[in-house]
Amino acid sequence: MQKQHSLSKNQQIILDLIVKSSEPLKAYSILFNVQKKGINAPLQVYRALDKLVEIGKIHKIESRNAFIACQNSSCQISKATAFSICESCENVSEISNSKLSKYLANFADEAGMKYNKYNLEFFGLCKKCK
Amino acid sequence: MQKQHSLSKNQQIILDLIVKSSEPLKAYSILFNVQKKGINAPLQVYRALDKLVEIGKIHKIESRNAFIACQNSSCQISKATAFSICESCENVSEISNSKLSKYLANFADEAGMKYNKYNLEFFGLCKKCK
DNA sequence: TAACAGTATGTAATAATATAACATTTATGA
DNA sequence: TCATAAATGTTATATTATTACATACTGTTA
Ligand SMILES: [Zn+2]
Ligand SMILES: [Zn+2]
Ligand SMILES: [Zn+2]
Ligand SMILES: [Zn+2]
């Protein structure tokens, strides 16, 4: 068992918001939504986001500057992330596919470089939009 | 043969700068460097960057908000990009591996979604840094 | 308990990245 | 030459993220 992180107040507030959101949230949208809970400044949001990303509870969708709750229970996957992003409705879902993650981990081994993380983003049209 | 894009003045200036750079360049660093050529405003830079990305001459490294020249001659690859990024020296190189690109294209087909693009970023330590 | 280290918080200011809006000019092709 | 698309120039502004510094909380160990 890995150490359980007990989240701080700000971290928990922000994680709760992200978890219950159906879409990726941007930092300033998060800020707006938690001001009634006493979080007033961007830095408070960014610090909580940094920590939540670090421990794998959330992921940053780099192409969108937005944050989504991890949809896998595994902590390890936070260093091996893959997402599918609809360019029409902006729906984002985390891909959990063991063949894909094995393939990419092995690919990393083959190359000269020592990898410790990857992030993959697929773009296209979701079922609703195509 | 595909249509050759003849680049405009601003596009060419900015492409030249990116091509001769040994590292990914950020938009405002580009702006600073091309001011002596008469490009004065951020928007002029961003418009050229947008176009160069669109036609595949450069790619955006999403995790770094920086731009790198395409290291493949192929235009198609601009919708199927993979990079390795050293977290120590920030060296970035474009991965050109037909097995990888085939694998990812096939993966896209398998899923329910119709993909038209992907971007993959590996992070680790390069040969010099490990 | 007291001391300490590590983590988290609060606040203000500012830096860095990116786009909106509008007027004008240049390139391309029918 | 006329119409259209693409590119440019300019100002202002929006969005995303960090620096700097002071303070408070949490868990561990002497
Ligand atoms: Zn996850
Ligand atoms: Zn969709
Ligand atoms: Zn390329
Ligand atoms: Zn390196």
Side-chain angles (χ1 to χ4, degrees), chain B residues 6 26-28 42-43 46-47 60 65 67:
Chain B
S6 68
K26 295 177 157 253
Y28 276 71
L43 193 47
Y46 281 105
R47 285 195 285 224
K60 182 173 187 181
N65 296 321
F67 299 85

Side-chain angles (χ1 to χ4, degrees), chain A residues 56 59 70-72 74 77-78 81 94:
Chain A
H59 305 300
C70 179
Q71 292 166 25
N72 301 303
S74 166
I77 201 119
S78 68
T81 48
E94 189 168 358

Side-chain angles (χ1 to χ4, degrees), chain B residues 56-59 69-74 77-78 80-81 83 94:
Chain B
K57 294 285 189 184
I58 66 172
H59 304 301
C70 180
Q71 292 166 25
N72 301 301
S73 50
S74 165
I77 202 121
S78 68
T81 49
F83 304 94
E94 188 168 358

Side-chain angles (χ1 to χ4, degrees), chain A residues 103-114:
Chain A
Y103 183 88
L104 291 175
N106 288 337
F107 179 83
D109 285 342
E110 281 175 25
M113 196 162 145
K114 167 64 181 166

Side-chain angles (χ1 to χ4, degrees), chain A residues 26-28 42-43 46-47 60 65 67:
Chain A
K26 295 179 156 248
Y28 277 71
L43 191 47
Y46 281 105
R47 283 196 287 224
K60 183 173 185 180
N65 296 320
F67 299 85

